[in-house]
Amino acid sequence: MSLEVSNRNTMMQESPIRKLAPFADRAKEKGIKVYHLNIGQPDIKTPEGMRAAYRETPEIVAYGPSAGLASYREKLAGYYRSRGIDISAEDVFITTGGSEAIIFSFLAALSPGDEVIVPEPFYTNYNGFAVMAGVKIVPITTTIENGFHLPTIEDFEKVRTDKTRAVLFSNPGNPTGAVFTREALEDLADFARRYKLYLISDEAYREFTYGEREAVSILELSGLEENAILIDSVSKRYSACGARVGTLISRNKKLMEVVLKFGQARLCPPTIDQMAAEAAVDTPDDYFKEVNAEYKKRRDFAFQALSDIPGVTVKKPEGAFYIIAQLPISDADHFAKWMLSDFSYNGATTMVAPAAGFYATEGLGKNQIRIAYVLNTGDLKNALEVLKEGLKKYVDSGLGG
Amino acid sequence: MSLEVSNRNTMMQESPIRKLAPFADRAKEKGIKVYHLNIGQPDIKTPEGMRAAYRETPEIVAYGPSAGLASYREKLAGYYRSRGIDISAEDVFITTGGSEAIIFSFLAALSPGDEVIVPEPFYTNYNGFAVMAGVKIVPITTTIENGFHLPTIEDFEKVRTDKTRAVLFSNPGNPTGAVFTREALEDLADFARRYKLYLISDEAYREFTYGEREAVSILELSGLEENAILIDSVSKRYSACGARVGTLISRNKKLMEVVLKFGQARLCPPTIDQMAAEAAVDTPDDYFKEVNAEYKKRRDFAFQALSDIPGVTVKKPEGAFYIIAQLPISDADHFAKWMLSDFSYNGATTMVAPAAGFYATEGLGKNQIRIAYVLNTGDLKNALEVLKEGLKKYVDSGLGG
């Protein structure tokens, strides 16, 4: 007798990052401390200059232009130019978070039914954006043995069809931490030019690299004027995830006209947050040096601590603040729930994201978890010790399968 | 040789509210003052309590829950209960503006290819949301002679098909200012129950009524637990259009589960703006009394001034802050552009929204404009005088067609 809901419901996956939240809530109600390694919410302070801008809220919190505040677009273009990415303000479209930038790139570049190739494991919300836009994600598998680096172009050729219109990837990678080489990106650029594909490069973690390799922006490569779409966000750069300010950048004028139409429909991104994001561009270099040094320390610590747990496989990630760990168990989903429901150590437990949800290919990643090293090293040490003890007890109890 | 863009491009209409902006910019560059009656951006100050909340920005601008801040959902539920709308916090989902609330209601309630009946003229961005969600808007025409009130259920029966899954309307109406009678809504409720349709009621202007008739919320009607979806926003209530905080409210649990999945994909609405919106709920009644009195004055003034222009037809709107005027010309689009490009009076011109873009039926509304009475009466007086003089000159020059 009840009303039907959309048939999209069955296509929408639960978020592996957020779906276990009710279990975490119950653990907290029982008085257990929960270390959140499941979500990329950094504990780093938002820069003071950005926060100060919120205090300057004008008398009327008014609509801004659909493409974003003109002064912010101009300033952001300067920011990219100073980093070797030659663009102008017209190439910059401000979005409500990086999320909306990806949705708009799907809506504007792809038609319903079109296919987009995405290296897996990938940021799980790409699935939801694809459902919203009615496009199909075709996964191409990367492996932990290979540090989750890009497959060869021969592999890309195998999954390409007549419906393929784009390749989407994050670089540095979420959830993998992989930073792609310039050579791999150049190969991908050739592939994109050959088949007239969009290359949608999610660079929300571009500055988060730790000495092994700098992240190359898609807009640094030449001959991709038509193909390249850069997705960016202030969320991680300024530890301002709640500001919901992102950007879609492309030199493809025709595409940007279509993006504007979708942008006009939703009126504008949040105004005061954009003002704050504009102020954030002036954040002194010291802030980033400090933040980067802190994340490098965490990365090194998390990698070592995980490597030291018997039966655990990890590769050192080159960027972002995630690391995928392969565990000696058969069902990481069950393990993650068990950690929250049935285990504590010194009054604490650790919440992780089961990795299967980051794969589109059924059955892959079931023995993997994603860890976000977003806690200070003291908490991170405790969290990983709890994880180690939990894993030991889980396996010793015969639950590992 | 260039890459194809989405086939959605041709389905996306330009915004009649924003598309003439480049012409306005050029007028301003020539030193002409432009009165903006085209867009619903009020000149009313955002309440001090709401602005104060921005100044309390915490050290980390962090993600919030996907359904919105728990404290805000709770507070909003109390706000609605105090106004006779019996709901609890779980029925309340916070969105990024009312825009996202409508997109999510389409995505969650309708499948691609489904139809939604919308009385026309309607808020033009409903078109864009429908394209995003791959659903089809089926218009049902209302007329200026009838004050843009709801057609009979017999008329609804005529446009309903097997694919109809919802009726969407704004009440009070944008762009019409019509406030629907309780009887008309009860009839529509019967229709929705009979055919298992969702009723999506956009009530962003609910408090903006001027004595003739109060707006009845869809959630005040009984027996619609499964069907009713209320769309709301802080944009107009608190003159905070740039905050991008809206809400989708429904007692349909199954539907709300699907909405949450889409909400999780985009992570969360802007955090600081939600805190500000939460503070706004405590805005003293005096603020609204003053605002309402001001808008009533403007409504009465605009209605009278337009009525007094020879050849212009208007009906007195009961709510919102829009009024549709029918002009003695054949192409309001051309007239609106001409006002910006070729006319000024005492160094000023007036920007209006041509109404054809608010109709889905080709050819309708071509002699109508929408006026947003969002300026103080002094400016409004000047703006309408300029409009009157412009219209006179336009018709006298033989441009009226």
Side-chain angles (χ1 to χ4, degrees):
Chain A
M1 280 304 291
S2 72
L3 267 72
E4 276 178 47
V5 295
S6 175
N7 62 18
R8 283 178 269 244
N9 180 33
T10 53
M11 296 181 242
M12 286 298 284
Q13 199 193 18
E14 278 183 302
S15 163
I17 303 164
R18 292 184 170 231
K19 71 178 178 179
L20 302 180
F23 295 91
D25 290 343
R26 254 168 274 152
K28 286 173 197 170
E29 281 161 21
K30 287 191 281 181
I32 294 170
K33 178 171 175 58
V34 178
Y35 291 109
H36 283 276
L37 301 185
N38 60 301
I39 190 162
Q41 171 55 59
D43 65 341
I44 305 283
K45 283 183 195 164
T46 308
E48 172 50 31
M50 180 171 188
R51 281 157 55 217
Y54 282 102
R55 295 197 286 271
E56 303 295 315
T57 296
E59 285 195 330
I60 304 179
V61 181
Y63 286 130
S66 295
L69 299 177
S71 55
Y72 179 40
R73 294 169 72 198
E74 198 64 64
K75 189 140 194 173
L76 212 44
Y79 167 87
Y80 288 103
R81 280 196 301 269
S82 75
R83 278 148 184 84
I85 299 173
D86 187 30
I87 52 153
S88 63
E90 305 96 77
D91 305 325
V92 176
F93 190 96
I94 309 301
T95 56
T96 305
S99 303
E100 190 183 64
I102 299 170
I103 296 169
F104 280 3
S105 68
F106 280 179
L107 287 171
L110 282 71
S111 300
D114 280 352
E115 294 176 1
V116 50
I117 299 174
V118 187
E120 67 179 354
F122 55 81
Y123 178 53
T124 178
N125 288 329
Y126 293 167
N127 279 316
F129 305 149
V131 173
M132 290 184 197
V135 302
K136 188 182 166 197
I137 287 183
V138 174
I140 181 167
T141 307
T142 71
T143 64
I144 195 166
E145 292 75 20
N146 193 27
F148 300 107
H149 275 267
L150 281 176
T152 64
I153 294 304
E154 288 69 45
D155 292 324
F156 275 95
E157 295 273 4
K158 280 179 209 151
V159 296
R160 194 195 68 84
T161 75
D162 284 350
K163 296 203 147 195
T164 306
R165 290 283 174 275
V167 180
L168 163 66
F169 55 88
S170 62
N171 179 36
N174 172 6
T176 66
V179 177
F180 300 145
T181 64
R182 185 178 288 269
E183 295 66 37
L185 289 169
E186 291 283 10
D187 286 350
L188 202 53
D190 285 341
F191 178 70
R193 276 186 294 257
R194 187 151 63 247
Y195 296 108
K196 292 183 189 295
L197 308 177
Y198 290 96
L199 282 186
I200 309 170
S201 178
D202 179 351
E203 304 181 7
Y205 298 91
R206 199 172 50 254
E207 296 85 0
F208 296 88
T209 56
Y210 308 115
E212 289 81 10
R213 184 178 301 119
E214 296 287 300
V216 175
S217 171
I218 197 70
L219 290 181
E220 286 176 56
L221 305 188
S222 56
L224 284 178
E225 282 64 27
E226 297 258 339
N227 313 73
I229 302 175
L230 187 157
I231 306 294
D232 210 338
S233 164
V234 307
S235 292
K236 314 297 172 174
R237 183 173 306 137
Y238 307 111
S239 193
C241 299
R244 313 312 297 129
V245 176
T247 181
L248 183 162
I249 307 180
S250 175
R251 300 186 184 104
N252 183 327
K253 303 286 179 207
K254 175 76 180 165
L255 179 79
M256 294 305 270
E257 279 172 29
V258 188
V259 168
L260 178 61
K261 289 187 188 179
F262 288 102
Q264 286 186 336
R266 63 61 165 132
L267 301 172
C268 66
T271 301
I272 310 300
D273 303 273
Q274 285 184 81
M275 292 174 174
E278 183 175 335
V281 178
D282 290 326
T283 303
D285 280 348
D286 283 357
Y287 174 88
F288 299 104
K289 275 187 197 144
E290 215 173 288
V291 167
N292 236 263
E294 175 65 24
Y295 275 116
K296 182 177 184 341
K297 201 164 67 181
R298 294 174 184 186
R299 192 273 313 253
D300 291 343
F301 178 84
F303 172 69
Q304 198 53 53
L306 288 164
S307 301
D308 291 346
I309 302 177
V312 169
T313 303
V314 279
K315 287 271 176 177
K316 187 182 272 192
E318 299 105 4
F321 36 68
Y322 304 104
I323 182 166
I324 296 239
Q326 191 158 295
L327 309 183
I329 61 174
S330 64
D331 185 353
D333 210 274
H334 181 267
F335 171 66
K337 265 185 218 157
W338 178 88
M339 284 290 290
L340 294 169
S341 309
D342 299 294
F343 180 76
S344 68
Y345 180 73
N346 292 339
T349 193
T350 295
M351 184 171 181
V352 299
F358 297 102
Y359 288 84
T361 303
E362 184 63 31
L364 291 185
K366 286 179 89 74
N367 59 348
Q368 296 176 354
I369 58 173
R370 184 194 77 168
I371 279 173
Y373 47 87
V374 290
L375 304 182
N376 65 60
T377 39
D379 284 345
L380 193 59
K381 184 168 184 291
N382 293 338
L384 291 176
E385 193 176 352
V386 169
L387 183 71
K388 178 185 172 181
E389 295 298 326
L391 184 63
K392 185 171 185 309
K393 183 167 173 200
Y394 186 82
V395 171
D396 288 352
S397 313
L399 291 165
Chain B
M1 278 305 289
S2 71
L3 267 73
E4 276 178 48
V5 296
S6 175
N7 62 19
R8 282 178 270 243
N9 181 32
T10 53
M11 296 181 241
M12 287 297 284
Q13 199 192 17
E14 278 183 303
S15 165
I17 304 163
R18 292 183 170 234
K19 71 176 178 179
L20 301 181
F23 295 91
D25 290 343
R26 253 167 275 152
K28 287 173 196 169
E29 281 162 20
K30 286 191 281 180
I32 295 171
K33 177 171 176 59
V34 177
Y35 291 109
H36 282 275
L37 301 185
N38 60 302
I39 191 162
Q41 171 55 59
D43 65 339
I44 306 283
K45 284 183 193 165
T46 307
E48 172 50 30
M50 180 170 188
R51 281 159 51 217
Y54 283 102
R55 295 195 286 269
E56 304 296 316
T57 295
E59 285 195 330
I60 304 178
V61 180
Y63 286 130
S66 295
L69 299 176
S71 55
Y72 180 41
R73 294 169 73 197
E74 199 64 64
K75 190 139 193 174
L76 255 191
Y79 167 87
Y80 288 102
R81 282 195 300 270
S82 75
R83 278 149 184 83
I85 299 173
D86 186 30
I87 51 152
S88 63
E90 305 97 76
D91 306 325
V92 176
F93 189 95
I94 309 301
T95 55
T96 306
S99 303
E100 190 183 64
I102 299 171
I103 296 168
F104 280 4
S105 68
F106 280 179
L107 287 170
L110 282 71
S111 300
D114 281 352
E115 294 175 2
V116 51
I117 299 173
V118 187
E120 69 179 352
F122 56 80
Y123 178 53
T124 180
N125 288 329
Y126 293 167
N127 280 315
F129 306 149
V131 173
M132 290 185 196
V135 302
K136 187 182 165 196
I137 287 184
V138 174
I140 180 167
T141 307
T142 70
T143 64
I144 195 165
E145 292 75 21
N146 193 27
F148 299 107
H149 276 267
L150 282 176
T152 64
I153 294 305
E154 289 68 48
D155 292 325
F156 276 95
E157 295 274 5
K158 279 179 211 152
V159 296
R160 194 195 68 83
T161 75
D162 284 352
K163 296 204 146 191
T164 306
R165 291 283 173 274
V167 180
L168 163 66
F169 55 89
S170 63
N171 179 35
N174 172 8
T176 66
V179 177
F180 300 145
T181 65
R182 184 177 290 269
E183 295 66 40
L185 289 169
E186 290 285 9
D187 287 350
L188 202 54
D190 285 341
F191 177 70
R193 277 185 294 259
R194 187 154 63 249
Y195 296 108
K196 292 183 187 295
L197 308 178
Y198 290 95
L199 283 186
I200 308 170
S201 178
D202 179 351
E203 303 180 7
Y205 297 92
R206 200 173 48 256
E207 296 85 359
F208 295 88
T209 57
Y210 308 115
E212 290 80 10
R213 184 178 301 119
E214 296 287 299
V216 175
S217 171
I218 197 71
L219 290 180
E220 286 177 54
L221 306 187
S222 54
L224 283 179
E225 282 64 27
E226 297 258 341
N227 314 73
I229 302 175
L230 187 158
I231 305 295
D232 211 339
S233 164
V234 306
S235 293
K236 314 297 172 172
R237 185 173 304 135
Y238 307 112
S239 193
C241 299
R244 311 313 297 132
V245 176
T247 180
L248 183 163
I249 306 180
S250 176
R251 301 186 183 102
N252 183 328
K253 303 286 180 208
K254 175 75 180 165
L255 179 78
M256 293 305 271
E257 280 172 27
V258 188
V259 169
L260 177 61
K261 288 187 190 178
F262 288 103
Q264 285 185 336
R266 63 63 165 128
L267 301 171
C268 67
T271 300
I272 310 300
D273 303 275
Q274 283 184 80
M275 292 174 174
E278 184 174 336
V281 178
D282 289 328
T283 303
D285 280 348
D286 283 357
Y287 175 88
F288 299 104
K289 274 187 198 146
E290 214 172 289
V291 169
N292 237 262
E294 174 66 23
Y295 275 116
K296 182 177 182 344
K297 202 165 67 181
R298 295 176 183 185
R299 191 272 314 249
D300 291 343
F301 178 83
F303 172 69
Q304 198 54 53
L306 289 164
S307 301
D308 290 348
I309 302 177
V312 169
T313 304
V314 280
K315 286 272 177 177
K316 188 183 271 192
E318 300 103 4
F321 37 67
Y322 304 105
I323 183 166
I324 296 233
Q326 191 159 295
L327 309 183
I329 59 173
S330 63
D331 185 351
D333 211 274
H334 182 266
F335 171 66
K337 266 185 220 159
W338 178 88
M339 284 289 290
L340 294 168
S341 309
D342 299 294
F343 181 75
S344 69
Y345 180 73
N346 292 339
T349 193
T350 295
M351 185 173 181
V352 299
F358 297 103
Y359 288 83
T361 302
E362 184 62 31
L364 291 185
K366 286 180 91 73
N367 59 349
Q368 297 175 353
I369 57 172
R370 185 194 77 167
I371 280 173
Y373 46 88
V374 290
L375 303 182
N376 65 62
T377 38
D379 284 345
L380 194 58
K381 185 168 183 290
N382 294 339
L384 292 176
E385 195 177 349
V386 169
L387 183 70
K388 179 184 170 182
E389 294 299 326
L391 184 62
K392 186 172 184 304
K393 185 168 175 198
Y394 187 81
V395 171
D396 287 352
S397 312
L399 292 165

